[in-house]
């Protein structure tokens, strides 16, 4: 009887050998928590920038352009079909020279 309980305490689902699994699961959950908290911080910053009492004009302009596809009448739209690192694409640091 004592051997049964001793074996269960060693290899059971809550036994000593399960401690490593618990530690690995804890490390994975802590990493996920850090990732989610970083996402939450970024979202909270964007929400604060869109506060109606003190809205950031650049943030509001970016959101309007992105979500509604609106532009100013005097703007020129240049579609970017090529990737920036394509061989014939102008280099941003040299101005295409």
């Amino acid at each position: 009887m004592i051997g049964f309980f001793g074996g269960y305490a060693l290899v059971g689902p809550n036994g000593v050998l399960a401690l490593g699994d618990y530690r690995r699961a804890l490390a994975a959950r802590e990493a996920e928590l850090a990732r989610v908290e970083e996402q939450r911080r970024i979202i909270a910053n964007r929400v604060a920038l869109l506060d109606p009492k003190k809205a950031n004009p650049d943030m509001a302009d970016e959101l309007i352009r992105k979500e509604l596809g609106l532009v100013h009448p005097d703007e020129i739209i240049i579609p970017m079909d090529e990737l920036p690192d394509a061989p014939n694409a102008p280099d941003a640091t040299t101005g295409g020279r």
Side-chain angles (χ1 to χ4, degrees):
M1 187 76 146
I2 293 176
F4 173 75
F5 288 116
Y8 202 79
L10 183 64
V11 294
N14 295 325
V16 175
L17 297 179
L19 184 61
D21 291 334
Y22 286 134
R23 287 184 179 158
R24 281 189 291 279
L26 177 63
R29 297 294 164 94
E30 286 175 342
E32 182 180 358
L33 177 62
R35 182 183 55 80
V36 170
E37 285 178 341
E38 178 63 19
Q39 286 178 342
R40 182 183 180 280
R41 186 192 62 76
I42 291 169
I43 292 170
N45 183 43
R46 290 182 64 91
V47 167
L49 291 173
L50 290 172
D51 183 9
K53 297 175 187 168
K54 54 181 189 254
N56 181 328
D58 291 331
M59 185 67 173
D61 187 53
E62 176 189 336
L63 185 63
I64 289 169
R65 290 170 184 268
K66 181 179 177 184
E67 297 298 323
L68 302 178
L70 299 177
V71 295
H72 292 285
D74 60 344
E75 291 181 330
I76 299 172
I77 306 295
I78 302 173
M80 302 293 288
D81 291 336
E82 288 188 29
L83 295 174
D85 56 344
N88 295 331
D91 186 2
T93 59
T94 61
R97 287 179 255 152

